Amino acid sequence: MTQSPDTPAESGKPQEAADAFLAGSSLRHAPGPYFGAFGGRWMPESLIAALDELEDTFEKAKADPEFIAQVAELNKNYSGRPSLLTEAKRFSQHAGGARIFLKREDLNHTGSHKINNVLGQALLAQRMGKTRIIAETGAGQHGVASATAAALLGMECVVYMGAEDTRRQALNVARMELLGATVVPVTAGSQTLKDAINEALRDWVANVHNTHYLLGTAAGAHPFPALVRYFHEVIGEEARAQILDQTGRLPDAVCACIGGGSNAIGIFHGFLDDRNVALYGFEAGGDGVDTGRHAATITLGRPGVLHGARSYLMQDEDGQTIESHSISAGLDYPGVGPEHSYLADIGRATYEPVTDTEAMDAFRLLCRTEGIIPAIESSHALAGALRVGKRLTEGKDNPQDVIIVVNLSGRGDKDVATAAEWFGLLPQESPEAGIGSEGEQL
Amino acid sequence: MNNTATASKSAAAIDRALAEGRTALVGYLPAGYPDVQTTIDAAVALAENGTDVIEIGIPYSDPVMDGSVIQAATVQALKDGFRVSQVFDIVAGITARCDAAVLVMTYWNPVMRMGVDEFSRRLAEAGGAGLITPDLIPDEAAEWFEASDKYGLDRVFLVAPSSSPARMAMTVKASRGFVYAVSIMGVTGARENVSSAAERVVQAAHEAGAERVCVGLGVSNAEHVREIGAYAEGAIVGTALVAELGHSGVEALGKLAARLSEGTARA
Ligand SMILES: Cc1ncc(COP(=O)(O)O)c(C=O)c1O
């Protein structure tokens, strides 16, 4: 079979897709709805028309120079792109001597990669004539980014947040409200991120005529996984050019953390067809994958459908979703984007768990060695990079020849209370000590 | 609708009602709420009071199409330890005691987890009529087409006010037994009025070739049932029944069904 390198392996049949990959066809720009056996649209009929409209608007926008210019302009003059690529020289000493470079999404406006997707989708919403956006949020990062875009573009914004999370993250609730958004605490189910998504979907069904659901990660029903990836592809494109510029060659490995998978797919995309660049996704291992308290979806889950896509899923024998656990609210999700399930199945990317403890050790190490306070989500990628660095440099005479790029997806300002609690930095009885108990964030 | 080859239990139940000059009454109950035996008794009470088709809902952790009343009931059932395989005991228990058609309404993941073929085989063995699938569209239903044909089960897909003519045609063609017309853009829950969108959805389904269309979401009293009977073959009541069962028990539920069935007489 001769296929041009730009033809994505888009077959719905897993074997065919895997064969196409092995035969060397491009993995970039996979359009969905299927990524091998994953993806699709497992959604109520009521929402299919809205998904079709979104897909249609997105396809037209991608081909419209005006839209592309609009996104580029906002990325540059609002978010502050391109984000830097910073070599972490002192941190690298703890990775067997491999050279580690940080893709600084933490420097974006609002403090994480989330803004890339939010601005793009808000512009699409405007193109569809929708005046109201709704979003789900766990850590509050995506909610804050959505509220920001809504303020910028003059749209109404409602953010659904698990009641448990609104209590844990009172300051992020205040942030969203300062930006003019309405935050709705969700008391259904486990009162966390997955229930916030359920509630946002219920809102969307009822208000789809004027409302866009601004999903915060590369998961959900088609076209969301491909669409969210599209707006984050800029991370990988910049990183690839920057590492070539700074080192003259491609890295040996790229590391990212996996919640739903948006920051990871964004940076992976730039390197998907560079077969010698190993791609690593680090899932939240929580207390440890053998404790049952984790969010290691690909590591331990099995295929199922949740929130519109077939993908790996943490589920019990009855197909009921299992609640996830992680110190990092942004990784605390029992599902994962379908493209990651596909990349895992065909062996293009490797997914490993990182425990709370490993992540927090890496968090502190980056603070102390580089003067950068990372998000706890991103700290999972940092811990993974230390592991990969040691592995790749083992027995090597010139460990500095090993180059690793880590997606530093966000900054840790929001995590200071959690970290202070974790490291015992708070005086007893201080008000922050109350806020900072496990998983709570400022 | 290709219901000629396979005898459809729900189509037969609806046709029976129509032949008697009645709009078919379809009643929803969540499995295991408040417990398995009560679900069976409650369904039998519905059947004895004029309900033609019973829907048994499988409690699920992420019910995106359900409003607060049904969510509260299914969360309770899960808390009390409901297991998916108990739905087959419930279906068998009901079909042993009455001749209403019994469909299972389920989000798709529990079916996928058990295996579509295995689930279908056990449902057919229990005497079930088929499945109503709120988050499975025909586009994704290849496995379910195969299994439902193999075991002679009805495939009740949903159509909505937002369905395009092409999707309406495709979904009507894919369905067997009846087509479930969602009356409004929204989730389950009792409402004051049945939306005027419902009539348009039903008309579009009929024009696409549907022989039997039942209207659900927001239907809660005999007047609603009567109104729907003017343009559809059946009316589906859920939240109102669940609330009555929760507050007042099986006997009161039977009485509510009897009142609802007063709305079924066709002009
Ligand atoms: C800083 C940061 N990184 C990563 C994530 C995880 O999301 P995703 O896997 O979609 O990148 C989040 C989510 O809130 C986040 O805030």
Side-chain angles (χ1 to χ4, degrees), chain A residues 90-109:
Chain A
R90 284 178 15 88
F91 184 77
S92 294
Q93 291 165 13
H94 300 264
R99 292 174 72 188
I100 292 182
F101 292 76
L102 307 175
K103 181 58 178 161
R104 303 291 305 279
E105 293 298 298
D106 61 316
L107 297 178
N108 297 340
H109 179 47

PDB file of all heavy atoms in Angstrom, chain A residues 90-109:
ATOM      1  N   ARG A  90      20.426  22.831  36.175  1.00  0.00           N
ATOM      2  CA  ARG A  90      20.651  22.253  37.519  1.00  0.00           C
ATOM      3  C   ARG A  90      19.697  21.106  37.792  1.00  0.00           C
ATOM      4  O   ARG A  90      20.060  20.103  38.396  1.00  0.00           O
ATOM      5  CB  ARG A  90      20.559  23.350  38.579  1.00  0.00           C
ATOM      6  CG  ARG A  90      21.830  24.204  38.586  1.00  0.00           C
ATOM      7  CD  ARG A  90      21.872  25.367  39.544  1.00  0.00           C
ATOM      8  NE  ARG A  90      20.910  25.450  40.630  1.00  0.00           N
ATOM      9  CZ  ARG A  90      21.071  24.903  41.848  1.00  0.00           C
ATOM     10  NH1 ARG A  90      22.151  24.219  42.147  1.00  0.00           N
ATOM     11  NH2 ARG A  90      20.146  25.050  42.776  1.00  0.00           N
ATOM     12  N   PHE A  91      18.501  21.229  37.303  1.00  0.00           N
ATOM     13  CA  PHE A  91      17.510  20.144  37.451  1.00  0.00           C
ATOM     14  C   PHE A  91      18.024  18.893  36.728  1.00  0.00           C
ATOM     15  O   PHE A  91      17.875  17.767  37.202  1.00  0.00           O
ATOM     16  CB  PHE A  91      16.176  20.606  36.867  1.00  0.00           C
ATOM     17  CG  PHE A  91      15.020  19.641  37.035  1.00  0.00           C
ATOM     18  CD1 PHE A  91      14.363  19.516  38.251  1.00  0.00           C
ATOM     19  CD2 PHE A  91      14.581  18.865  35.961  1.00  0.00           C
ATOM     20  CE1 PHE A  91      13.279  18.636  38.398  1.00  0.00           C
ATOM     21  CE2 PHE A  91      13.514  17.991  36.089  1.00  0.00           C
ATOM     22  CZ  PHE A  91      12.861  17.882  37.314  1.00  0.00           C
ATOM     23  N   SER A  92      18.658  19.111  35.566  1.00  0.00           N
ATOM     24  CA  SER A  92      19.132  17.998  34.733  1.00  0.00           C
ATOM     25  C   SER A  92      20.114  17.093  35.465  1.00  0.00           C
ATOM     26  O   SER A  92      20.196  15.897  35.178  1.00  0.00           O
ATOM     27  CB  SER A  92      19.827  18.547  33.482  1.00  0.00           C
ATOM     28  OG  SER A  92      18.910  19.221  32.658  1.00  0.00           O
ATOM     29  N   GLN A  93      20.838  17.672  36.415  1.00  0.00           N
ATOM     30  CA  GLN A  93      21.818  16.857  37.144  1.00  0.00           C
ATOM     31  C   GLN A  93      21.164  15.702  37.892  1.00  0.00           C
ATOM     32  O   GLN A  93      21.821  14.735  38.262  1.00  0.00           O
ATOM     33  CB  GLN A  93      22.605  17.744  38.125  1.00  0.00           C
ATOM     34  CG  GLN A  93      23.537  18.717  37.412  1.00  0.00           C
ATOM     35  CD  GLN A  93      24.030  19.826  38.336  1.00  0.00           C
ATOM     36  OE1 GLN A  93      23.877  19.749  39.560  1.00  0.00           O
ATOM     37  NE2 GLN A  93      24.612  20.856  37.751  1.00  0.00           N
ATOM     38  N   HIS A  94      19.869  15.811  38.118  1.00  0.00           N
ATOM     39  CA  HIS A  94      19.150  14.753  38.839  1.00  0.00           C
ATOM     40  C   HIS A  94      18.512  13.746  37.886  1.00  0.00           C
ATOM     41  O   HIS A  94      17.769  12.878  38.298  1.00  0.00           O
ATOM     42  CB  HIS A  94      18.086  15.377  39.749  1.00  0.00           C
ATOM     43  CG  HIS A  94      18.681  16.308  40.759  1.00  0.00           C
ATOM     44  ND1 HIS A  94      18.993  15.919  42.055  1.00  0.00           N
ATOM     45  CD2 HIS A  94      19.081  17.610  40.655  1.00  0.00           C
ATOM     46  CE1 HIS A  94      19.533  16.934  42.702  1.00  0.00           C
ATOM     47  NE2 HIS A  94      19.599  17.980  41.883  1.00  0.00           N
ATOM     48  N   ALA A  95      18.795  13.909  36.606  1.00  0.00           N
ATOM     49  CA  ALA A  95      18.217  13.019  35.593  1.00  0.00           C
ATOM     50  C   ALA A  95      19.323  12.240  34.911  1.00  0.00           C
ATOM     51  O   ALA A  95      19.307  12.031  33.702  1.00  0.00           O
ATOM     52  CB  ALA A  95      17.414  13.830  34.578  1.00  0.00           C
ATOM     53  N   GLY A  96      20.300  11.829  35.680  1.00  0.00           N
ATOM     54  CA  GLY A  96      21.408  11.064  35.121  1.00  0.00           C
ATOM     55  C   GLY A  96      22.289  11.898  34.218  1.00  0.00           C
ATOM     56  O   GLY A  96      23.128  11.370  33.498  1.00  0.00           O
ATOM     57  N   GLY A  97      22.064  13.215  34.211  1.00  0.00           N
ATOM     58  CA  GLY A  97      22.892  14.088  33.388  1.00  0.00           C
ATOM     59  C   GLY A  97      22.324  14.373  32.014  1.00  0.00           C
ATOM     60  O   GLY A  97      22.916  15.119  31.232  1.00  0.00           O
ATOM     61  N   ALA A  98      21.160  13.793  31.723  1.00  0.00           N
ATOM     62  CA  ALA A  98      20.498  14.116  30.449  1.00  0.00           C
ATOM     63  C   ALA A  98      20.155  15.597  30.450  1.00  0.00           C
ATOM     64  O   ALA A  98      19.891  16.188  31.496  1.00  0.00           O
ATOM     65  CB  ALA A  98      19.228  13.286  30.297  1.00  0.00           C
ATOM     66  N   ARG A  99      20.168  16.218  29.259  1.00  0.00           N
ATOM     67  CA  ARG A  99      19.801  17.642  29.192  1.00  0.00           C
ATOM     68  C   ARG A  99      18.286  17.761  29.110  1.00  0.00           C
ATOM     69  O   ARG A  99      17.654  17.205  28.207  1.00  0.00           O
ATOM     70  CB  ARG A  99      20.440  18.293  27.968  1.00  0.00           C
ATOM     71  CG  ARG A  99      21.960  18.384  28.061  1.00  0.00           C
ATOM     72  CD  ARG A  99      22.541  18.902  26.766  1.00  0.00           C
ATOM     73  NE  ARG A  99      22.253  20.332  26.576  1.00  0.00           N
ATOM     74  CZ  ARG A  99      22.520  20.984  25.439  1.00  0.00           C
ATOM     75  NH1 ARG A  99      23.029  20.344  24.406  1.00  0.00           N
ATOM     76  NH2 ARG A  99      22.247  22.273  25.330  1.00  0.00           N
ATOM     77  N   ILE A 100      17.717  18.514  30.046  1.00  0.00           N
ATOM     78  CA  ILE A 100      16.267  18.682  30.080  1.00  0.00           C
ATOM     79  C   ILE A 100      15.898  20.114  29.702  1.00  0.00           C
ATOM     80  O   ILE A 100      16.468  21.075  30.236  1.00  0.00           O
ATOM     81  CB  ILE A 100      15.708  18.317  31.478  1.00  0.00           C
ATOM     82  CG1 ILE A 100      15.889  16.805  31.696  1.00  0.00           C
ATOM     83  CG2 ILE A 100      14.239  18.710  31.601  1.00  0.00           C
ATOM     84  CD1 ILE A 100      15.338  16.293  33.002  1.00  0.00           C
ATOM     85  N   PHE A 101      14.973  20.214  28.783  1.00  0.00           N
ATOM     86  CA  PHE A 101      14.465  21.524  28.336  1.00  0.00           C
ATOM     87  C   PHE A 101      12.985  21.628  28.691  1.00  0.00           C
ATOM     88  O   PHE A 101      12.232  20.677  28.499  1.00  0.00           O
ATOM     89  CB  PHE A 101      14.633  21.678  26.815  1.00  0.00           C
ATOM     90  CG  PHE A 101      16.068  21.785  26.377  1.00  0.00           C
ATOM     91  CD1 PHE A 101      16.883  20.654  26.339  1.00  0.00           C
ATOM     92  CD2 PHE A 101      16.613  23.015  26.009  1.00  0.00           C
ATOM     93  CE1 PHE A 101      18.217  20.746  25.934  1.00  0.00           C
ATOM     94  CE2 PHE A 101      17.938  23.114  25.604  1.00  0.00           C
ATOM     95  CZ  PHE A 101      18.744  21.979  25.566  1.00  0.00           C
ATOM     96  N   LEU A 102      12.604  22.784  29.190  1.00  0.00           N
ATOM     97  CA  LEU A 102      11.219  22.980  29.628  1.00  0.00           C
ATOM     98  C   LEU A 102      10.459  23.846  28.627  1.00  0.00           C
ATOM     99  O   LEU A 102      10.886  24.964  28.320  1.00  0.00           O
ATOM    100  CB  LEU A 102      11.191  23.677  30.992  1.00  0.00           C
ATOM    101  CG  LEU A 102      12.020  23.022  32.101  1.00  0.00           C
ATOM    102  CD1 LEU A 102      11.987  23.901  33.358  1.00  0.00           C
ATOM    103  CD2 LEU A 102      11.512  21.616  32.408  1.00  0.00           C
ATOM    104  N   LYS A 103       9.343  23.338  28.129  1.00  0.00           N
ATOM    105  CA  LYS A 103       8.475  24.158  27.284  1.00  0.00           C
ATOM    106  C   LYS A 103       7.567  24.942  28.217  1.00  0.00           C
ATOM    107  O   LYS A 103       6.729  24.357  28.924  1.00  0.00           O
ATOM    108  CB  LYS A 103       7.687  23.258  26.321  1.00  0.00           C
ATOM    109  CG  LYS A 103       6.764  24.028  25.370  1.00  0.00           C
ATOM    110  CD  LYS A 103       7.524  25.041  24.508  1.00  0.00           C
ATOM    111  CE  LYS A 103       6.575  25.746  23.534  1.00  0.00           C
ATOM    112  NZ  LYS A 103       7.187  27.014  23.045  1.00  0.00           N
ATOM    113  N   ARG A 104       7.747  26.270  28.210  1.00  0.00           N
ATOM    114  CA  ARG A 104       7.217  27.095  29.286  1.00  0.00           C
ATOM    115  C   ARG A 104       5.770  27.556  29.075  1.00  0.00           C
ATOM    116  O   ARG A 104       5.490  28.752  29.021  1.00  0.00           O
ATOM    117  CB  ARG A 104       8.140  28.300  29.476  1.00  0.00           C
ATOM    118  CG  ARG A 104       9.612  27.935  29.784  1.00  0.00           C
ATOM    119  CD  ARG A 104       9.773  27.310  31.164  1.00  0.00           C
ATOM    120  NE  ARG A 104       9.232  28.153  32.212  1.00  0.00           N
ATOM    121  CZ  ARG A 104       9.874  29.207  32.742  1.00  0.00           C
ATOM    122  NH1 ARG A 104      11.074  29.531  32.327  1.00  0.00           N
ATOM    123  NH2 ARG A 104       9.313  29.922  33.702  1.00  0.00           N
ATOM    124  N   GLU A 105       4.852  26.619  29.042  1.00  0.00           N
ATOM    125  CA  GLU A 105       3.434  26.992  28.965  1.00  0.00           C
ATOM    126  C   GLU A 105       2.977  27.698  30.233  1.00  0.00           C
ATOM    127  O   GLU A 105       1.928  28.340  30.265  1.00  0.00           O
ATOM    128  CB  GLU A 105       2.572  25.764  28.678  1.00  0.00           C
ATOM    129  CG  GLU A 105       2.788  25.155  27.295  1.00  0.00           C
ATOM    130  CD  GLU A 105       2.434  26.117  26.163  1.00  0.00           C
ATOM    131  OE1 GLU A 105       1.265  26.514  26.077  1.00  0.00           O
ATOM    132  OE2 GLU A 105       3.339  26.475  25.384  1.00  0.00           O
ATOM    133  N   ASP A 106       3.782  27.568  31.293  1.00  0.00           N
ATOM    134  CA  ASP A 106       3.459  28.269  32.547  1.00  0.00           C
ATOM    135  C   ASP A 106       3.519  29.779  32.380  1.00  0.00           C
ATOM    136  O   ASP A 106       2.960  30.521  33.178  1.00  0.00           O
ATOM    137  CB  ASP A 106       4.420  27.826  33.663  1.00  0.00           C
ATOM    138  CG  ASP A 106       5.886  28.145  33.341  1.00  0.00           C
ATOM    139  OD1 ASP A 106       6.314  27.895  32.188  1.00  0.00           O
ATOM    140  OD2 ASP A 106       6.597  28.650  34.233  1.00  0.00           O
ATOM    141  N   LEU A 107       4.225  30.232  31.343  1.00  0.00           N
ATOM    142  CA  LEU A 107       4.372  31.683  31.154  1.00  0.00           C
ATOM    143  C   LEU A 107       3.220  32.301  30.363  1.00  0.00           C
ATOM    144  O   LEU A 107       3.136  33.520  30.220  1.00  0.00           O
ATOM    145  CB  LEU A 107       5.698  31.985  30.450  1.00  0.00           C
ATOM    146  CG  LEU A 107       6.948  31.576  31.254  1.00  0.00           C
ATOM    147  CD1 LEU A 107       8.213  31.862  30.457  1.00  0.00           C
ATOM    148  CD2 LEU A 107       6.994  32.317  32.592  1.00  0.00           C
ATOM    149  N   ASN A 108       2.325  31.461  29.832  1.00  0.00           N
ATOM    150  CA  ASN A 108       1.171  32.017  29.109  1.00  0.00           C
ATOM    151  C   ASN A 108       0.276  32.827  30.041  1.00  0.00           C
ATOM    152  O   ASN A 108       0.182  32.531  31.235  1.00  0.00           O
ATOM    153  CB  ASN A 108       0.288  30.897  28.542  1.00  0.00           C
ATOM    154  CG  ASN A 108       1.012  30.049  27.510  1.00  0.00           C
ATOM    155  OD1 ASN A 108       2.008  30.470  26.949  1.00  0.00           O
ATOM    156  ND2 ASN A 108       0.496  28.855  27.286  1.00  0.00           N
ATOM    157  N   HIS A 109      -0.436  33.779  29.478  1.00  0.00           N
ATOM    158  CA  HIS A 109      -1.484  34.461  30.234  1.00  0.00           C
ATOM    159  C   HIS A 109      -2.439  33.428  30.832  1.00  0.00           C
ATOM    160  O   HIS A 109      -2.784  32.454  30.165  1.00  0.00           O
ATOM    161  CB  HIS A 109      -2.248  35.397  29.288  1.00  0.00           C
ATOM    162  CG  HIS A 109      -3.369  36.124  29.970  1.00  0.00           C
ATOM    163  ND1 HIS A 109      -3.221  36.752  31.187  1.00  0.00           N
ATOM    164  CD2 HIS A 109      -4.655  36.311  29.597  1.00  0.00           C
ATOM    165  CE1 HIS A 109      -4.370  37.297  31.539  1.00  0.00           C
ATOM    166  NE2 HIS A 109      -5.256  37.044  30.597  1.00  0.00           N
TER     167      HIS A 109
END
